[in-house]
Amino acid sequence: MAEQTASTADPTLVLLTVEEAARRLRIGRTTCFKLVLSGEIESVTVGRLRRVPADAVPAYVAKLRRPAVAA
């Protein structure tokens, strides 16, 4: 279990699994998959695998922090 936590916090990782992204965001796996599938969190396909670029996690948080633009 400690090894799994260490790999999640590894700053050298370029691509994260959806589960790793969810752990970094402290949200559930299912919620993270929904965000990925809706395009809220950027993701890429590598072969048959879905991966989240490591820089997409702070980009998503920054997007959440921006005030909504009035229409």
Side-chain angles (χ1 to χ4, degrees):
M1 179 99 168
E3 183 179 323
Q4 198 173 37
T5 303
S7 69
T8 303
D10 185 351
T12 63
L13 293 177
V14 176
L15 295 174
L16 308 171
T17 65
V18 176
E19 291 85 355
E20 289 169 336
R23 279 194 293 270
R24 286 190 181 191
L25 290 166
R26 301 286 198 255
I27 62 175
R29 179 181 160 280
T30 303
T31 301
C32 195
F33 267 106
K34 287 179 184 176
L35 291 169
V36 164
L37 292 175
S38 71
E40 288 289 313
I41 296 178
E42 179 189 358
S43 67
V44 297
T45 303
V46 181
R48 293 177 53 193
L49 304 173
R50 175 67 54 186
R51 294 292 183 254
V52 176
D55 61 350
V57 174
Y60 173 69
V61 173
K63 186 168 45 169
L64 291 175
R65 295 181 71 176
R66 285 189 211 120
V69 176

